[in-house]
Amino acid sequence: MITVTAQHQSGSASFTGDANPYGGGDPYADYRTADFPFTQYANLADRRLGAGVIAANDEFFAQRENLLVPERAEFDPEHFGHKGKIMDGWETRRRRGASAGHPWPTAEDHDWALVRLGAPGVIRGIVVDTAHFRGNYPQAVSVEGTSIPGSPSPQELLGDDVKWTTLVPRTSIGGHAANGFAVSAEQRFTHLRVNQHPDGGIARLRVHGEVVPDPAWLSVLGTFDVVALENGGQVEDASDLFYSPATNTIQPGRSRKMDDGWETRRRRDQGNDWIRYQLVAQSVIRAVEIDTAYLKGNSAGWASVSVKDGEDGEWTEILPRTRLQPDTNHRFVLPTPAVGTHARVDIFPDGGISRLRLHGSLTEQGTAALAARHQELGG
């Protein structure tokens, strides 16, 4: 087994031990959490990207699929079923030893779940969230990653020939807490194996990192969305994140509700809001889409799009300030293709957009750079 050790974020909290029993009122009032710098990266285990929990050895009390639900875990103290308390997470039965003489599980006993990332990439940090699992969380967790092309079955992933890299070594965690781990493995991963020692429940799993697409796939596509998260685009910064994350604007598909886009607070000055993006690599952009789906009384009034080529390049406006309509997908064919590595959308004066699409293709330089990175990361 290849082993790469990851440590807790230096200087940030780590949690161990039980939380207090639920005493009524807001169940999140005593939830333990911390600011993890790696959460600036997109969640590669997002269902919208195509992530899934494809197998687990046990899910007696609560289904494995709950791990990837995008919303925070909910708690209903009165919700019981025929198997016991119904929890919003993945929960296994209590492990037992082999005999009356040794009724305890062994040190090696553990439960596991196999997770397919929605988009392959470099993982910067993992959050194992035990919200509402106060005395029934695992004593420790560990996480391993692998990179396998195609769509392997659970049986193939569990084969003896699969090489797993340790991303989070076996580490004690806390109940009713966001347990965060920084990851330093500079490799491209497609699947994770999440282990809980020896048993228990995990509410949510978040896997933060950078998408590393397959250059061969993008080459076959020809024209594609060069800022899309699934293709390797990412948000670098934004003026306002009050209501929703800017990364929503480059998620797959159209927005399905208002908070599935990007919305800013109301401005009371003469400024404007913006998002800055890094494209998958140097690209030629030929068309732009700006969607305001589900943003009706809070859509941006106008928008413009600019690009620059290289970190030190000059910003060039490719779509001048243009009136936007609420709850509408706007399409613009550029009169002249634009070359760039970064893009910026400015909205005036505030409000929101749900999606930004920049349709184009990689330049020769962009193709070479993406292929080199893919190879370097073991793709």
Side-chain angles (χ1 to χ4, degrees), residues 111-279:
D111 292 319
W112 53 265
L114 296 176
V115 177
R116 179 190 63 245
L117 297 180
V122 178
I123 298 169
R124 302 302 183 193
I126 294 173
V127 177
V128 177
D129 188 348
T130 57
H132 314 304
F133 289 93
R134 295 170 175 269
N136 51 345
Y137 59 95
Q139 181 185 35
V141 297
S142 61
V143 182
E144 301 158 282
T146 191
S147 182
I148 298 182
S151 304
S153 67
Q155 292 73 24
E156 289 170 319
L157 285 168
L158 295 172
D160 294 337
D161 58 335
V162 175
K163 304 285 189 191
W164 290 93
T165 299
T166 300
L167 305 178
V168 178
R170 182 170 176 168
T171 306
S172 297
I173 63 169
H176 197 43
N179 301 276
F181 306 90
V183 175
S184 57
E186 286 294 323
Q187 296 175 236
R188 179 180 184 267
F189 295 101
T190 61
H191 294 77
L192 300 185
R193 183 162 60 187
V194 181
N195 305 304
Q196 44 179 335
H197 308 268
D199 54 38
I202 298 170
R204 298 288 188 267
L205 177 74
R206 307 295 187 226
V207 183
H208 298 280
E210 303 169 60
V211 175
V212 180
D214 182 352
W217 175 253
L218 296 183
S219 176
V220 168
L221 292 179
T223 296
F224 60 93
D225 183 0
V226 298
V227 76
L229 180 60
E230 62 186 322
N231 293 332
Q234 57 183 296
V235 169
E236 286 193 327
D237 200 3
S239 60
D240 187 292
L241 301 172
F242 190 83
Y243 286 115
S244 47
T247 301
N248 281 354
T249 61
I250 54 175
Q251 290 281 3
R254 294 199 72 198
S255 175
R256 292 171 294 174
K257 53 183 180 173
M258 192 177 73
D259 67 351
D260 193 20
W262 173 60
E263 181 188 1
T264 71
R265 74 191 84 192
R266 300 188 188 212
R267 275 191 172 267
R268 304 306 187 196
D269 58 22
Q270 299 300 303
N272 74 282
D273 289 313
W274 50 267
I275 305 175
R276 189 173 72 244
Y277 305 89
Q278 180 176 311
L279 308 184

Side-chain angles (χ1 to χ4, degrees), residues 22-368:
Y22 175 64
D26 178 8
Y28 274 102
D30 59 342
Y31 176 68
R32 296 178 286 178
T33 188
D35 291 328
F36 302 113
F38 54 72
T39 57
Q40 67 179 296
Y41 297 101
N43 177 22
L44 304 183
D46 194 319
R47 287 285 305 178
R48 290 174 293 181
L49 281 175
V53 187
I54 60 175
N57 72 306
D58 187 290
E59 48 185 329
F60 185 85
F61 286 115
Q63 298 172 345
R64 64 184 191 252
E65 287 85 0
N66 289 334
L67 282 173
L68 305 188
V69 171
E71 294 79 20
R72 72 177 188 173
E74 299 299 327
F75 180 72
D76 180 352
E78 305 299 326
H79 197 191
F80 286 84
H82 292 293
K83 293 182 178 180
K85 181 73 183 72
I86 296 176
M87 297 293 290
D88 185 7
W90 168 48
E91 186 180 7
T92 66
R93 72 194 79 199
R94 299 185 188 219
R95 281 184 169 268
R96 296 295 186 238
S99 67
H102 198 285
W104 311 280
T106 70
E108 291 75 33
D109 286 343
H110 67 279
D111 292 319
W112 53 265
L114 296 176
V115 177
R116 179 190 63 245
L117 297 180
V122 178
I123 298 169
R124 302 302 183 193
I126 294 173
V127 177
V128 177
D129 188 348
T130 57
H132 314 304
F133 289 93
R134 295 170 175 269
N136 51 345
Y137 59 95
Q139 181 185 35
V141 297
S142 61
V143 182
E144 301 158 282
T146 191
S147 182
I148 298 182
S151 304
S153 67
Q155 292 73 24
E156 289 170 319
L157 285 168
L158 295 172
D160 294 337
D161 58 335
V162 175
K163 304 285 189 191
W164 290 93
T165 299
T166 300
L167 305 178
V168 178
R170 182 170 176 168
T171 306
S172 297
I173 63 169
H176 197 43
N179 301 276
F181 306 90
V183 175
S184 57
E186 286 294 323
Q187 296 175 236
R188 179 180 184 267
F189 295 101
T190 61
H191 294 77
L192 300 185
R193 183 162 60 187
V194 181
N195 305 304
Q196 44 179 335
H197 308 268
D199 54 38
I202 298 170
R204 298 288 188 267
L205 177 74
R206 307 295 187 226
V207 183
H208 298 280
E210 303 169 60
V211 175
V212 180
D214 182 352
W217 175 253
L218 296 183
S219 176
V220 168
L221 292 179
T223 296
F224 60 93
D225 183 0
V226 298
V227 76
L229 180 60
E230 62 186 322
N231 293 332
Q234 57 183 296
V235 169
E236 286 193 327
D237 200 3
S239 60
D240 187 292
L241 301 172
F242 190 83
Y243 286 115
S244 47
T247 301
N248 281 354
T249 61
I250 54 175
Q251 290 281 3
R254 294 199 72 198
S255 175
R256 292 171 294 174
K257 53 183 180 173
M258 192 177 73
D259 67 351
D260 193 20
W262 173 60
E263 181 188 1
T264 71
R265 74 191 84 192
R266 300 188 188 212
R267 275 191 172 267
R268 304 306 187 196
D269 58 22
Q270 299 300 303
N272 74 282
D273 289 313
W274 50 267
I275 305 175
R276 189 173 72 244
Y277 305 89
Q278 180 176 311
L279 308 184
V280 56
Q282 188 188 62
S283 305
V284 180
I285 301 167
R286 301 183 181 88
V288 174
E289 283 188 73
I290 300 175
D291 195 353
T292 58
Y294 291 97
L295 295 162
K296 298 182 178 180
N298 49 355
S299 166
W302 293 262
S304 65
V305 177
S306 303
V307 301
K308 70 174 182 176
D309 191 22
E311 292 288 350
D312 300 324
E314 296 291 329
W315 288 105
T316 301
E317 192 172 71
I318 61 172
L319 179 71
R321 193 180 304 187
T322 303
R323 190 73 168 95
L324 299 182
Q325 299 300 320
D327 197 27
T328 300
N329 191 28
H330 309 76
R331 292 176 171 173
F332 309 95
V333 176
L334 301 183
T336 304
V339 175
T341 57
H342 296 74
R344 172 179 167 134
V345 60
D346 285 86
I347 64 171
F348 302 88
D350 58 18
I353 61 174
S354 60
R355 296 290 189 270
L356 174 72
R357 306 296 187 208
L358 301 178
H359 299 287
S361 56
L362 296 179
T363 64
E364 187 175 333
Q365 177 182 325
T367 299

